[in-house]
Amino acid sequence: MNEAIHTILNHRSIRDFQDKQLTDEQIKMIVACAQAASTSSFIQAYSIIGIKDKEKKAKLAHLAGDQRYVLNNGHFFVFCADLHRHFLIGELEQKDVMTSIESTEKFMVALIDASLAAQNAAVAAESMGLGICYIGGIRNNLDEVKAVLKTPEFVIPLFGMAVGYPEEINEQKPRLPLEHVYHEEEYQQNNEVQISQLQDYDEIISRYYQQRTNGKRGDRWTAQMASMLENPKRMYMKEFIEKNRMNLK
Amino acid sequence: MNEAIHTILNHRSIRDFQDKQLTDEQIKMIVACAQAASTSSFIQAYSIIGIKDKEKKAKLAHLAGDQRYVLNNGHFFVFCADLHRHFLIGELEQKDVMTSIESTEKFMVALIDASLAAQNAAVAAESMGLGICYIGGIRNNLDEVKAVLKTPEFVIPLFGMAVGYPEEINEQKPRLPLEHVYHEEEYQQNNEVQISQLQDYDEIISRYYQQRTNGKRGDRWTAQMASMLENPKRMYMKEFIEKNRMNLK
């Protein structure tokens, strides 16, 4: 197993960081790695905002649901889908780019671009001995997050990433069995097979929690997912996207 | 510079592969790395379809705009946003999960999940000495791609990834200057500054093409982007997503 694969397989989200800040050199290297990711037709439709300021971090931590690791970390990144520079390009080159910019397709492209960049940043940081945690919680209150980060139209903050020196290292939660996620030649369409795979996985997850809690807790994954999904979250998202002129046409 | 960072910074898309197939061991390792990526609230909302069959690859190559490297490679992956198992979970656990599943928020979660997994797969493959190329072209004709891959409702094929032993290694195109993509503390809102950064980048890209073509070609990036964006592509995307019950509510 090579070093990169070792880093990747060893990933776990870190939520307790030492009080030690990243150097500018480390930050630049992480961003350079983010930028080295593939980008759809070279469109580079994302931006990264890096936050050192404790007050700004505290505001974001509160907006993300009072997550202490948004405040206490070595550096905080926010990854944004960004078609703002492409809007400017339309004006600069005097071409009508708005139908593209307002399309669901380009929204997807920007999301995918930002996510590929972010995962490169994550692997790079972890390969340096740092820990990371993605923060989807910034999508809880995007109007307020937008005000803190001063993002203009055509920019959607997608998620944060807390990076830093790990204080505590968590265990890894077992993923879905490979054969449930990976399909050979075509999608495995048999619902009964899928359900029985889900039930096998429930046993794995249940055992995992039992071992960690001395038998006190034995949640099944399907139950966790069902209770999460029966409470819809962030239902203002479409409205926020359209208000910010990315649109979903 | 450690090995993982070296791999990441050394990335370029490979479009010419040797006629040598990946082993099942290599495929499994790449998928295991994909699965090790972070996933929003452990939702694991993606699937990967791996294609060895030459006839299927040929069909997909044609649908993706006659891209020869979709046919000729060591293995072809398709990454899908997938809430199908969560739909099944709703039935299994007798909870109403449909409002969540049909939300723009969960569509974004599935896209981000799939993309983080894909970029782990990309880095893992490259660390093994393999080359990769993302194939957004499969979104040209998703109804037909869906028929080839037999994806059910709640599943959206997002992009392919051709993987294999590189035959020819391309140069790396210079990315946007770091200070254009990376903002400190808050988004750099000054449009004049952004435009002047874009013009600096145009010179870099123009020089890059001139050097590669002995002065025959000197495209500017902003001109490339403007002419790409004035021709909207894949405008059926929203309709396809809604037809497949992911929805964008």
Side-chain angles (χ1 to χ4, degrees), chain B residues 74-136:
Chain B
H75 197 62
F76 193 71
F77 293 101
V78 178
F79 288 82
C80 306
D82 188 346
L83 290 168
H84 182 263
R85 67 178 72 90
H86 303 86
F87 166 74
L88 290 181
I89 285 172
E91 301 207 325
L92 199 64
E93 302 283 338
Q94 306 215 334
K95 303 265 187 186
D96 178 10
V97 299
M98 284 312 294
T99 309
S100 275
I101 284 185
E102 292 187 334
S103 66
T104 298
E105 159 68 14
K106 281 294 174 291
F107 176 72
M108 290 167 69
V109 159
L111 244 73
I112 295 168
D113 256 29
S115 304
L116 301 186
Q119 189 55 20
N120 260 9
V123 174
E126 290 178 333
S127 78
M128 297 172 180
L130 300 165
I132 70 114
C133 188
Y134 279 94
I135 311 291

Side-chain angles (χ1 to χ4, degrees), chain A residues 35 37 48 50 82 85 93 100 105 119-120 149-150 175 180 183 185 187 189 220 222 229 234, chain B residues 35 37 48 50 82 85 93 100 105 119-120 149-150 175 180 183 185 187 189 220 222 229 234:
Chain A
Q35 288 197 264
I48 308 168
D82 187 347
R85 67 177 72 91
E93 302 284 338
S100 275
E105 160 68 14
Q119 189 55 20
N120 261 9
L149 301 178
K150 298 208 168 61
R175 275 20 189 183
H180 187 84
H183 304 248
E185 302 301 336
Y187 198 96
Q189 276 231 2
R220 294 170 301 111
T222 57
L229 293 171
R234 305 169 188 156
Chain B
Q35 287 197 265
I48 307 168
D82 188 346
R85 67 178 72 90
E93 302 283 338
S100 275
E105 159 68 14
Q119 189 55 20
N120 260 9
L149 300 178
K150 297 209 168 65
R175 272 25 187 181
H180 188 85
H183 305 248
E185 303 302 337
Y187 199 94
Q189 275 231 3
R220 291 171 302 113
T222 57
L229 294 170
R234 305 169 188 156

